[in-house]
Amino acid sequence: MKKIFGLIFTLCFLFSADAFAKADIRFEQGALLVKEATYAELEELFEKYDYVDFGKTNLQVPRIYVKTLPTDWEKIEKSDEKNKVFIRILIPLIMKINEEIAIERNAISSLYKSVQENKSLSKKEKDFIEEKAEKYDIFSKNKSQTRYKLLLEELMQKVDEIPAGLLIAMSGIYSDWGNSRLAVSANSLYREEIWYSDEGLAPEDVPNAEFKYRIFSSLEECLRSFMHKLNSNITYRYIWATREQSREIGRKVLGEQIIAAMSYEGKFNNVAGMLDFNLSYYKLNKTDILPVLVDVKP
């Protein structure tokens, strides 16, 4: 009998400990870094910082950076509410990366103005341009003084922010709103591939595949990688052109504009329709123009 009561007590203790497990939350430079949170803990955290309705006017998005999907994500049934939690997880991370891209673009823009005014560049400035050109897959055979003007012109087209609504709508399609095996096991939201490598997650639906899916250490790493891909791979030139056109008339580019441009690219027709539905259904365009990232207090 004592053994039975002992076993019951142990089970109750373990159940209680699991039910009240605390997420790993660290405060750092005005942001909360969240790891190992349950779905309920994350909802509670969002509510605490008044981050519930991501589409409301004058939304201030708290710097809550969630490393991975909730530990019990797979146990939560699919629903619109679950999708909205997924969206709220991604918005601050995308805005953070876009902030970094904006800083990078400002530095490039400053140098571009200098070469337009025929000002000489220092070795440090030239090295910076060469580094960014390599990062964004820009190449020029030109070795004359106009080389840096040509490189900077391309950098101005490629290095720019990407609408959060577009990125979220795309992740909704490619990761089934975070419910896919890749999202849960590899923090992979866009099915990025690695070819001829032993690293990565093998596809289950492609026998003898020569590629694997990339494994990311965090959602932020995944988003950063995909955003860089959109800004560097020539396949996505329609994104660069759409942003450029919006800038020329002094407007911020929206996800729906890029999706409209995508629909003219033959191979993207089907995807464009699904993206447009996701964008409209969850009112994701509001995440492109309204939110402002704000520091939080612990």
Side-chain angles (χ1 to χ4, degrees):
M1 184 64 72
K2 287 183 178 179
K3 288 183 179 180
I4 294 174
F5 278 118
L7 178 61
I8 292 173
F9 176 80
T10 302
L11 290 173
C12 287
F13 175 79
L14 291 174
F15 177 79
S16 176
D18 181 65
F20 295 97
K22 293 293 182 181
D24 180 353
I25 302 176
R26 184 160 50 94
F27 178 74
E28 186 177 293
Q29 298 180 338
L32 292 181
L33 311 183
V34 183
K35 295 192 297 183
E36 302 297 322
T38 64
Y39 184 87
E41 286 173 328
L42 209 51
E43 279 196 310
E44 185 179 343
L45 189 65
F46 288 156
E47 189 172 341
K48 176 182 177 181
Y49 287 94
D50 192 26
Y51 180 42
V52 178
D53 180 6
F54 53 80
K56 70 180 183 181
T57 305
N58 299 322
L59 174 66
Q60 293 187 327
V61 176
R63 293 183 186 275
I64 300 176
Y65 302 139
V66 182
K67 185 172 183 180
T68 63
L69 294 171
T71 55
D72 57 350
W73 188 253
E74 291 178 285
K75 298 177 183 177
I76 307 300
E77 291 186 9
K78 293 183 181 181
S79 67
D80 273 356
E81 288 309 309
K82 185 179 182 182
N83 292 353
K84 289 175 182 177
V85 169
F86 177 76
I87 292 169
R88 279 181 280 164
I89 289 171
L90 296 191
I91 292 173
L93 295 172
I94 294 169
M95 293 182 71
K96 175 189 178 185
I97 298 168
N98 269 331
E99 276 188 339
E100 296 168 5
I101 292 173
I103 292 171
E104 194 175 21
R105 179 181 174 83
N106 286 339
I108 292 167
S109 178
S110 177
L111 292 173
Y112 185 52
K113 289 176 182 177
S114 293
V115 297
Q116 285 181 312
E117 295 168 0
N118 295 318
K119 294 180 180 178
S120 59
L121 299 173
S122 67
K123 182 181 183 304
K124 184 178 179 180
E125 290 171 332
K126 290 178 180 179
D127 288 345
F128 173 83
I129 296 169
E130 296 286 0
E131 176 194 338
K132 296 303 177 185
E134 183 178 355
K135 176 180 176 181
Y136 288 95
D137 199 22
I138 297 170
F139 176 76
S140 174
K141 292 182 179 179
N142 192 306
K143 301 295 181 182
S144 69
Q145 195 64 27
T146 60
R147 171 181 177 80
Y148 296 101
K149 181 179 180 181
L150 294 172
L151 293 179
L152 285 165
E153 283 177 351
E154 286 201 57
L155 284 169
M156 286 297 294
Q157 189 179 49
K158 286 188 171 186
V159 185
D160 206 345
E161 298 174 48
I162 300 170
L166 174 70
L167 290 163
I168 294 167
M170 292 178 83
S171 69
I173 292 173
Y174 292 117
S175 75
D176 186 21
W177 297 103
N179 293 298
S180 71
R181 164 179 167 255
L182 290 177
V184 175
S185 302
N187 295 309
S188 175
L189 304 178
Y190 302 99
R191 302 171 67 87
E192 288 195 65
E193 300 170 356
I194 300 176
W195 286 80
Y196 312 112
S197 173
D198 292 331
E199 298 180 0
L201 203 62
E204 291 182 326
D205 53 349
V206 185
N208 304 315
E210 294 180 329
F211 71 91
K212 292 187 177 180
Y213 292 112
R214 281 193 64 181
I215 296 174
F216 297 96
S217 63
S218 66
L219 296 172
E220 180 178 336
E221 184 186 23
C222 168
L223 287 164
R224 193 180 300 280
S225 173
F226 188 65
M227 290 168 75
H228 178 260
K229 180 179 179 179
L230 296 185
N231 276 344
S232 57
N233 193 309
I234 192 66
T235 303
Y236 303 102
R237 62 189 179 279
Y238 62 88
I239 293 179
W240 316 337
T242 306
R243 289 186 308 207
E244 195 170 39
Q245 291 166 5
S246 289
R247 280 189 174 274
E248 286 175 358
I249 58 175
R251 291 182 181 177
K252 191 172 183 178
V253 69
L254 301 178
E256 63 184 7
Q257 293 172 272
I258 292 176
I259 292 171
M262 182 187 293
S263 65
Y264 290 103
E265 302 281 326
K267 58 184 176 182
F268 294 122
N269 277 340
N270 292 337
V271 175
M274 291 186 286
L275 287 174
D276 190 53
F277 174 81
N278 283 349
L279 205 73
S280 301
Y281 186 81
Y282 289 105
K283 299 180 175 60
L284 293 175
N285 257 350
K286 291 189 175 182
T287 66
D288 297 339
I289 55 177
L290 295 177
V292 176
L293 264 180
V294 294
D295 290 354
V296 299
K297 296 180 180 179

